[in-house]
Amino acid sequence: MCWFYNSFVSNLLQPEASTGARQLLDLARGVLDIEADAVRGLKARLGPAFVEAHRIILATKGRVVVTGMGKSGHVGNKIASTLASTGTPAFFMHPAEASHGDLGMITEDDVVIAISYSGESDEIGRILPLIKRRGAKVIAITGRAGSTLAKEADVHLDARVETEACPLELAPTASTTATLALGDALAMTLLDARGFRSDDFALHHPGGALGRRLLVHVGDIMRRDEQLPRSAPGDALLPTVLEEMSRKGIGMTCVVDSAQKLLGIFTDGDLRRLLERHDTVKGLRVGDVMMRNPTTIGPGKLAAEVAQVFENKSLGGRLVVCDPDGRLVGAITFHDLLAAGVV
């Protein structure tokens, strides 16, 4: 298989195959142009209907139920997912399954977004009267303003396109892209109206990398108590300090006073620099050679902020954690960020 693929690519690059490659790329670029034009064409048609759809969804006490058949259903599923993840409770309902009991999921407090480019989907047409009888509002997204669905809906959003990107004018391509973009526009205006923030987004995505970056705080993953290297007082001799550094294994120790307030830190880098200037360090006191006023961070800060600090400062991949009163409460390393999946 690898040989066949390499041979295919090699043949494409041969002079006699250059015409075929150009035609392939021209077709691909044409598809992208058509779909981009379809999305841009929506801008001029946004108006009172879009504002009304936005108002209805924002005011609803229930949920948004998105339905559509075939490719429209796949697009509708994604629109429902985007709404749900950005602060608007939503789910997808298959129109065929709706006729076999799933209509029971719809209440008078809900809003139904029905998607059909032709506006004449049989499956949606069969359930539309029943949805309206329940008292739910209906927002239609179609490509034909004169269609049955557009006329029967409370609000119609026009997603028509000049042409499909399919050379045969058969496969839904530009129309599905335009519909998806229109759904995203609705979701983002609703997000903005609800004051939805990055913290809210993280609560909807706790399992992903984004959630870890937005939810994990320094205090959740920092080293504390017996894991924390600390030396007191500042007149301690370096041999004692070095034993503490070796036991805790993060290449540093924190020097504190009797109230646990941070006085400074001493690192393995400091030790190497001392050895360059002194034959022995046995008689030196840590308070005389430590780094005073080191960079610190609070336990309530996002762990992702630690990664930014490491990028901007030469800290050897470790950072001291102090409370607002300057008392030592922990230490965090780059390896801790890796283990937590923050970076």
Side-chain angles (χ1 to χ4, degrees):
M1 178 62 77
C2 183
W3 170 85
F4 175 80
Y5 176 78
N6 290 336
S7 176
F8 172 74
V9 173
S10 177
N11 288 337
L12 268 183
L13 298 178
Q14 296 301 315
E16 60 270 19
S18 60
T19 300
R22 281 198 300 271
Q23 291 174 342
L24 181 151
L25 293 174
D26 286 344
L27 176 58
R29 288 167 181 146
V31 169
L32 297 179
D33 284 338
I34 291 171
E35 299 211 5
D37 289 341
V39 173
R40 279 192 290 267
L42 296 173
K43 292 172 62 177
R45 300 199 296 274
L46 289 183
F50 185 89
V51 174
E52 180 64 6
H54 174 275
R55 185 197 66 77
I56 289 173
I57 296 175
L58 191 62
T60 186
K61 297 177 181 177
R63 299 152 302 172
V64 175
V65 184
V66 187
T67 189
M69 196 70 191
K71 304 297 187 296
S72 294
H74 294 304
V75 171
N77 215 328
K78 195 276 180 183
I79 290 174
S81 178
T82 299
L83 287 167
S85 69
T86 53
T88 299
F91 65 89
F92 177 78
M93 180 187 69
H94 196 287
E97 295 293 339
S99 296
H100 295 273
D102 282 4
L103 270 176
M105 295 187 289
I106 299 177
T107 72
E108 63 180 5
D109 293 325
D110 296 332
V111 176
V112 175
I113 297 179
I115 304 171
S116 168
Y117 189 72
S118 69
E120 303 295 344
S121 166
D122 291 338
E123 292 81 3
I124 293 179
R126 281 194 291 269
I127 64 175
L128 186 60
L130 300 172
I131 292 172
K132 297 188 71 175
R133 187 180 301 171
R134 290 172 181 267
K137 295 288 187 182
V138 177
I139 297 170
I141 301 179
T142 83
R144 292 179 55 217
S147 64
T148 302
L149 179 57
K151 290 177 179 178
E152 292 296 324
D154 295 286
V155 180
H156 173 241
L157 298 181
D158 187 356
R160 72 181 185 275
V161 299
E162 294 299 321
T163 182
E164 294 287 6
C166 170
L168 303 177
E169 275 287 317
L170 295 175
T173 45
S175 58
T176 50
T177 300
T179 301
L180 182 59
L182 198 53
D184 284 343
L186 259 180
M188 295 305 101
T189 57
L190 290 163
L191 172 150
D192 183 69
R194 297 182 193 281
F196 199 77
R197 303 169 302 167
S198 58
D199 288 349
D200 301 312
F201 193 85
L203 292 173
H204 286 67
H205 301 75
L210 178 62
R212 288 191 292 274
R213 283 175 26 224
L214 294 176
L215 289 176
V216 177
H217 293 81
V218 171
D220 298 328
I221 60 174
M222 70 184 185
R223 299 168 190 244
R224 62 180 80 222
D225 302 327
E226 294 305 313
Q227 295 179 313
L228 182 60
R230 71 181 83 206
S231 301
D235 60 357
L237 293 174
L238 274 189
T240 303
V241 171
L242 296 179
E243 289 178 9
E244 175 71 356
M245 289 174 61
S246 298
R247 281 195 299 269
K248 302 304 168 63
I250 63 172
M252 64 165 284
T253 189
C254 305
V255 185
V256 296
D257 63 15
S258 58
Q260 296 303 301
K261 286 199 172 185
L262 184 68
L263 301 175
I265 62 171
F266 185 79
T267 70
D268 50 10
D270 296 325
L271 176 62
R272 287 194 299 272
R273 285 184 285 273
L274 281 176
L275 290 173
E276 290 175 357
R277 303 194 306 267
H278 300 273
D279 292 332
T280 179
V281 296
K282 290 183 178 180
L284 297 178
R285 301 186 183 279
V286 68
D288 297 328
V289 294
M290 68 183 180
M291 179 193 305
R292 299 179 183 274
N293 302 315
T295 299
T296 64
I297 197 166
K301 295 291 187 179
L302 288 173
E305 294 183 47
V306 177
Q308 294 177 342
V309 173
F310 285 158
E311 288 179 3
N312 298 330
K313 294 180 178 289
S314 300
L315 299 174
R318 60 221 164 195
L319 191 59
V320 179
V321 185
C322 290
D323 67 14
D325 295 322
R327 285 189 292 267
L328 177 69
V329 294
I332 188 167
T333 72
F334 187 76
H335 293 293
D336 297 330
L337 300 181
L338 284 173
V342 176
V343 295

